[in-house]
Amino acid sequence: MKTNFLIVLLTAISLMGYTQDSDTQGDYKTLFGGDQITHGGYGGLSVNYSQIDGEDALLVGARGAWIINHGLAIGVAGYGFANDMKYYKTIDDVYDKYNLAGGYGGLLIEPIIGSKYPVHVSIPILIGAGGVGYIRHNWNNYDPDHEWDDDWNNDNYHDEHYHADDADAFFVLEPGIELELNMVKFVRLAIGGYYRYTSDLELADTDSDVLNGFSGGVTLKFGKF
């Protein structure tokens, strides 16, 4: 698995040089020096869907990047996530109701291929770190058979307390591919698929690779492209 990601990373880096040539015209371009370099930038908001530990999960994120010669964006990106709250785990010998929540972020490297065309491709790669933990939900109307009364009326529901029970930090590498649509001059819509790979986690009653997996979603980008 690690070898596959290194191949993806090296392929994306090799595409940076290609995008410099394919998206510009005229004389030879360099990253530094000369008057013909173009600069831009964008900010974006993302909403992605994934599955984490077999449960539906929502990831909400943001990006900000500097664009060089229309063909390479460099910046930062981050996501927060949580999976389905109807979720049960045994932690510290207590069978209870949890959801798995956390966040990650870091360096964003994004080659852009054919950016001047109305529909084109980008290859975002996020390299960074994050943290994840279980949030326990204690309900006063607990049933010893592990059943929960979801009736929200005042007779049965009293209070809910949140406790962080188990947490860990991790390294993350998340390459992806996006189909970008130039909506108007300063707005792009990206529809993408990504693979999230993390270092091994140490969480109670949980696989070490629980965060590894595919995600897909949309990003709305605003800026000078």
Side-chain angles (χ1 to χ4, degrees):
M1 184 67 72
K2 292 182 180 179
T3 302
N4 292 339
F5 282 108
L6 287 175
I7 293 172
V8 171
L9 183 59
L10 291 173
T11 301
I13 291 172
S14 68
L15 285 170
M16 295 176 189
Y18 169 79
T19 58
Q20 294 294 318
D21 291 333
S22 62
D23 287 343
T24 58
Q25 297 178 355
D27 295 336
Y28 180 77
K29 308 296 183 182
T30 61
L31 288 179
F32 304 100
D35 298 328
Q36 298 177 340
I37 299 174
T38 63
H39 300 279
Y42 77 85
L45 298 175
S46 303
V47 178
N48 293 351
Y49 167 82
S50 184
Q51 283 209 336
I52 297 177
D53 206 8
E55 301 290 330
D56 294 335
L58 182 68
L59 295 87
V60 179
R63 303 182 193 174
W66 166 42
I67 303 175
I68 307 169
N69 278 353
H70 309 289
L72 175 63
I74 300 175
V76 294
Y79 292 91
F81 62 85
N83 70 348
D84 196 327
M85 294 178 65
K86 293 183 180 296
Y87 186 72
Y88 300 92
K89 281 287 181 180
T90 303
I91 296 178
D92 295 332
D93 296 323
V94 177
Y95 187 84
D96 215 339
K97 184 176 182 178
Y98 296 82
N99 70 303
L100 189 61
Y104 60 91
L107 174 67
L108 174 69
I109 302 173
E110 183 180 3
I112 306 167
I113 303 172
S115 66
K116 293 183 179 180
Y117 293 97
V119 180
H120 55 272
V121 172
S122 67
I123 306 174
I125 303 169
L126 189 156
I127 305 169
V132 61
Y134 282 110
I135 306 298
R136 182 174 61 190
H137 304 267
N138 287 339
W139 295 74
N140 288 349
N141 53 335
Y142 174 71
D143 187 297
D145 295 325
H146 314 312
E147 297 293 337
W148 304 85
D149 186 353
D150 289 330
D151 188 350
W152 285 65
N153 64 50
N154 291 331
D155 293 333
N156 294 323
Y157 176 70
H158 301 288
D159 194 11
E160 184 177 17
H161 304 283
Y162 299 91
H163 304 278
D165 286 271
D166 200 21
D168 198 9
F170 57 87
F171 164 82
V172 62
L173 171 63
E174 186 176 61
I177 184 167
E178 295 178 339
L179 186 67
E180 285 195 335
L181 291 76
N182 294 345
M183 307 301 291
V184 294
K185 187 174 182 180
F186 299 107
V187 179
R188 288 182 177 177
L189 177 66
I191 303 169
Y194 318 88
Y195 190 87
R196 183 178 55 256
Y197 175 81
T198 74
S199 55
D200 289 346
L201 295 170
E202 295 183 2
L203 294 172
D205 194 27
T206 304
D207 292 337
S208 61
D209 60 352
V210 67
L211 293 184
N212 291 2
F214 290 97
S215 64
V218 297
T219 301
L220 198 57
K221 302 177 180 181
F222 304 89
K224 178 183 177 183
F225 301 101

